[in-house]
């Protein structure tokens, strides 16, 4: 997994860099009002996380910050931290699709392993196709659960007026990266998603809401029947495998 050679990803410490990271995230989330800006992130939260040794990093192209990410050490079932939980990652609109996210993920992986953390976890909107492809196909993370309205109401610009359904993903940092499309075996079910939910939210909000509820209903119905999330197909449909799949492998 590689990123652009001109990028430098570093931990953020100074108030100026933390302010810049907060502004970058608010811009990516299209936060306009003060309430929306605070709903995305506050500089004081970034300062506290950075000061306490957690993960607050920025990706720089020269002096320009073009991406940033925030996370912290997550506790395992028995108590001690066992994973890096990534809360939010953003890349400026002019640099999306140019490897910035890959560079940040690589830096996060190194940060976690240096601290004895062997896994990373985060959530993402299952209707954002580009994120689904990056997470499940490119870096080979595993979708472990579907969470309906995970955050509740979020008035942060991007999520204003939307429900906040999320997929939780788990990335084994010790495994060799094996990004791939999910196989479609006997009995598999597909859940299609829009090619660009963000554009659809702008052009036809009512249809975007219908699509979101349809995807939620399909995930809930199939998971309740014992299906497991296998990943993403080459046509960018979610692939869910039936309970019998393990006996077919």
């Amino acid at each position: 997994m590689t990123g652009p050679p001109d990028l430098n990803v570093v931990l953020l410490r100074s108030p100026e860099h933390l302010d810049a990271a907060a502004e970058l995230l608010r811009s990516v989330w299209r936060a306009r009002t003060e309430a929306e800006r605070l709903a995305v992130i506050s500089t004081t939260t970034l300062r506290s996380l950075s000061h306490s040794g957690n993960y607050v990093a920025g990706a720089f192209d020269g002096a320009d910050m073009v991406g940033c990410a925030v996370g912290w050490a997550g506790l395992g079932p028995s108590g001690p931290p066992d994973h890096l939980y990534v809360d939010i990652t953003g890349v400026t609109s002019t640099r999306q699709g140019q490897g910035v996210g890959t560079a940040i993920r690589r830096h996060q992986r190194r940060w976690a392993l240096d601290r004895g953390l062997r896994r990373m976890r985060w959530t993402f909107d299952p209707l954002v196709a580009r994120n689904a492809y990056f997470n499940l196909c490119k870096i080979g993370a595993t979708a472990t659960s579907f969470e309906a309205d995970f955050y509740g109401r979020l008035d942060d610009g991007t999520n204003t007026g939307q429900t906040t359904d999320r997929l939780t993903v788990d990335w084994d940092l010790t495994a060799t990266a094996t990004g791939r499309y999910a196989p479609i075996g006997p009995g598999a079910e597909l859940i299609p998603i829009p090619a660009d939910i963000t554009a659809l939210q702008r052009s036809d909000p009512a249809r975007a809401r219908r699509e979101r509820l349809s995807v939620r209903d399909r995930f809930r119905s199939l998971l309740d029947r014992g299906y497991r999330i296998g990943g993403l197909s080459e046509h960018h449909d979610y692939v869910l495998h039936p309970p019998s799949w393990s006996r077919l492998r």
Side-chain angles (χ1 to χ4, degrees):
M1 184 173 61
T2 61
D6 56 338
L7 280 181
N8 185 30
V9 183
V10 298
L11 297 177
L12 304 179
R13 304 293 188 196
S14 72
E16 294 78 14
H17 280 162
L18 294 171
D19 280 338
E23 287 302 320
L24 186 152
L25 291 170
R26 292 163 181 164
S27 174
V28 172
W29 262 254
R30 303 193 303 277
R32 295 176 177 85
T33 68
E34 187 60 26
E36 289 177 343
R37 288 163 56 81
L38 289 176
V40 175
I41 200 75
S42 72
T43 303
T44 54
T45 297
L46 293 183
R47 178 63 173 161
S48 296
L49 288 169
S50 174
H51 186 68
S52 59
N54 283 288
Y55 188 87
V56 183
F60 289 84
D61 182 354
D64 298 327
M65 187 184 299
V66 295
C68 61
V70 181
W72 48 80
L75 300 181
S78 61
D82 69 351
H83 67 280
L84 169 60
Y85 184 83
V86 181
D87 180 58
I88 188 168
T89 301
V91 176
T92 59
S93 59
T94 58
R95 293 300 298 267
Q96 291 178 6
Q98 298 180 27
V100 179
T102 299
I104 292 173
R105 283 286 185 249
R106 186 174 67 245
H107 186 266
Q108 291 169 336
R109 180 179 184 275
R110 185 169 63 249
W111 185 94
L113 290 173
D114 286 348
R115 288 157 180 79
L117 307 176
R118 299 165 64 87
R119 311 188 80 81
M120 279 175 52
R121 291 179 187 145
W122 63 94
T123 67
F124 74 96
D125 183 344
L127 271 74
V128 180
R130 66 177 184 277
N131 288 349
Y133 170 78
F134 179 84
N135 292 329
L136 305 180
C137 300
K138 188 167 185 178
I139 69 173
T142 301
T144 58
S145 66
F146 173 84
E147 308 289 344
D149 214 12
F150 182 71
Y151 293 106
R153 176 173 173 168
L154 274 181
D155 293 329
D156 62 359
T158 293
N159 294 292
T160 299
Q162 302 288 327
T163 56
T164 54
D165 295 349
R166 294 292 182 267
L167 284 179
T168 300
V169 293
D170 188 286
W171 188 23
D172 182 354
L173 303 180
T174 65
T176 303
T178 55
R180 61 182 176 84
Y181 293 114
I184 303 175
E189 294 280 350
L190 303 180
I191 301 179
I193 58 174
D196 189 340
I197 187 61
T198 302
L200 187 60
Q201 286 170 346
R202 294 171 181 166
S203 64
D204 193 342
R207 182 184 168 195
R209 285 192 290 271
R210 290 195 299 270
E211 292 279 1
R212 190 170 292 282
L213 291 176
S214 175
V215 169
R216 175 194 289 187
D217 289 344
R218 288 281 287 157
F219 265 115
R220 279 179 158 175
S221 173
L222 291 169
L223 293 175
D224 285 349
R225 290 155 53 194
Y227 282 72
R228 294 176 295 108
I229 305 169
L232 208 65
S233 77
E234 60 181 330
H235 299 296
H236 290 189
D237 299 325
Y238 287 101
V239 180
L240 278 78
H241 296 143
S244 60
W245 174 257
S246 60
R247 299 195 295 271
L248 299 173
R249 299 296 291 166

